[in-house]
Amino acid sequence: MSAVTFSGLASGLDTTSLIAKLVSAEKSSETQYTTQQTTISNQKSVVDALTSAVASLGSLASDLALPSTLQMRTASSSDSHVSVAASGTAISTVHDVRVNQIAAAQVASSDTYTGDTAGIAGTGSVQITSGTTTATVSYDSTDTLSSIATKINNANAGVSASVLFDGTQYRLMVASKATGSANASTFTETGTGLGLANPANIKIAAKDAKLTIDGVDVVRSTNVIDDAIPGLTITATSAHAVTDPDASVTVANDTGALTDKLNSFVTAFNSVAGSVASQLTYNASATTQSVLFGDSTMRSLQGVLSNFASQAFGSMHLDDLGLSLDQDGMMSLDATKLTTALQTNPDAITNLFVTGGFAKSISDMSKMYSQAGDGVLVTKSSGLDDQNKLLQDQIDQIEENATALQTRLQAQFTAMETALSAMQSQSSYITSMLNSSSSS
């Protein structure tokens, strides 16, 4: 139950207002602590955002430390008979390619039938072998050509079956799923037979792809050849005519993709450098500076980032690839200089980031500042949390003292009002008695 108060009923004093002012005075020192908490909260927001940016930069650098990430190639063919694709292991050069024959899958036909009705093929079985896969399919008087085709398809024999109507007659068509002579299907039939084993019913013969690559004959069962030249996938789409010139396949550095990679790195680097610069740049027209202006951790990180511009990484500097830092530590990329560098040395980016160790240096810096547990920025954020807790303890103590003061004052003023009220009642009684005595 809350204390009963008599705000000035006897004394005439506004005790409620008086108590509120005394309690407010008790809590006045709280403002300095809440102000400090606001500053610390703003500092922590900056530090945590910067930690995330540094970690992202480190993750990108770790990716760029892998040779495969930077060995980006593009491949093109001079004609439509050949299509090509290149991975990072492909050597930048030109290959001479000629398609003499494209691979084909075998297609076999059954004998012809007058309809697709039950029992039209009689009773029997067919053993189908395609490559290393063998399956046997049986049929009887209840089967149509379509149901036999379904049985073949469900047998997973490495072939697909369907019914073909040529306008007069029906045939069961069986096509090998894989191209090449080694995957040609063979058929062993019993019973009435479907005619699939008849060599005359081979409508399309299985064929291997035959190419000449840089003057060497190459034979494969498939038209997609990815094991002839390391890092290069050659697809034969059609055979060259006798009068056609050979296809010229060109493999080169993918300068556009490499430029995109570097631009992504520059963006990530500037996210960190810009955040640091915004805290350390003096603003003469502002009444206050950034929340971490002059902070030693910010200055240290800015110094580390700036030093990268002057460091040598192996035999290279950032400027060799058109990378430079301005006075605020922001990085920019000169695309023209990069293109020239790659034309002179296709492995220039790899030499800087991988062989020279630039990517590892960035990654190591990122770990030093953003690694969970003991990273410089992580530790700083934790320290700010500790400061905020100490301030909150001070605020909680002030609130506790103010509450105790309010309770004590309310009790004291209530007691005073009660005593005054009693005295006033006694005074009125005595006055009444005296007046009564005088009148008698």
Side-chain angles (χ1 to χ4, degrees), residues 110-122 143-148 163-172 194:
S110 70
D111 292 334
T112 58
Y113 298 92
T114 57
D116 183 12
T117 56
I120 192 71
D143 284 304
T144 63
L145 291 179
S146 293
S147 67
I148 296 173
V163 176
L164 174 66
F165 176 55
D166 63 11
T168 303
Q169 296 177 310
Y170 293 83
R171 292 178 174 83
L172 184 66
L194 296 168

Side-chain angles (χ1 to χ4, degrees), residues 222-424:
T222 175
N223 289 311
V224 180
I225 303 171
D226 59 7
D227 59 353
I229 300 173
L232 190 63
T233 298
I234 299 172
T235 301
T237 57
S238 60
H240 283 90
V242 175
T243 57
D244 288 337
D246 294 350
S248 180
V249 171
T250 303
V251 181
N253 269 357
D254 191 343
T255 304
L258 288 170
T259 300
D260 289 342
K261 282 280 186 183
L262 280 191
N263 279 326
S264 295
F265 174 79
V266 169
T267 298
F269 185 94
N270 286 341
S271 178
V272 176
S275 180
V276 173
S278 69
Q279 294 301 311
L280 297 180
T281 301
Y282 176 73
N283 187 345
S285 62
T287 55
T288 59
Q289 301 303 317
S290 300
V291 291
L292 289 172
F293 181 74
D295 181 80
S296 59
T297 301
M298 296 294 106
R299 292 200 307 270
S300 173
L301 179 54
Q302 188 176 59
V304 171
L305 296 174
S306 297
N307 286 339
F308 285 126
S310 58
Q311 282 183 255
F313 298 94
S315 61
M316 299 190 69
H317 291 78
L318 299 187
D319 187 62
D320 294 334
L321 289 181
L323 295 169
S324 60
L325 300 182
D326 63 19
Q327 61 181 7
D328 293 324
M330 301 296 285
M331 182 178 287
S332 61
L333 173 65
D334 185 332
T336 300
K337 192 167 186 178
L338 172 64
T339 300
T340 301
L342 291 175
Q343 289 173 344
T344 303
N345 178 10
D347 295 321
I349 293 182
T350 302
N351 291 343
L352 175 69
F353 278 84
V354 182
T355 309
F358 177 51
K360 184 178 184 304
S361 295
I362 293 290
S363 180
D364 290 345
M365 177 277 297
S366 173
K367 290 177 182 178
M368 182 175 71
Y369 279 91
S370 67
Q371 185 166 267
D374 60 355
V376 174
L377 292 171
V378 175
T379 302
K380 187 176 186 65
S381 180
S382 178
L384 291 171
D385 284 334
D386 291 340
Q387 290 180 46
N388 185 68
K389 184 179 183 304
L390 289 175
L391 290 170
Q392 189 60 50
D393 289 343
Q394 294 288 339
I395 293 171
D396 291 344
Q397 185 61 57
I398 292 171
E399 288 288 340
E400 183 179 334
N401 292 342
T403 299
L405 175 63
Q406 183 178 23
T407 301
R408 187 168 65 253
L409 289 174
Q410 286 174 339
Q412 290 173 347
F413 278 107
T414 298
M416 181 190 74
E417 293 290 343
T418 302
L420 286 174
S421 180
M423 290 173 64
Q424 288 173 350

Side-chain angles (χ1 to χ4, degrees), residues 209-224:
K210 296 181 179 181
L211 290 79
T212 302
I213 301 176
D214 293 334
V216 177
D217 290 337
V218 175
V219 179
R220 295 290 189 277
S221 63
T222 175
N223 289 311
V224 180

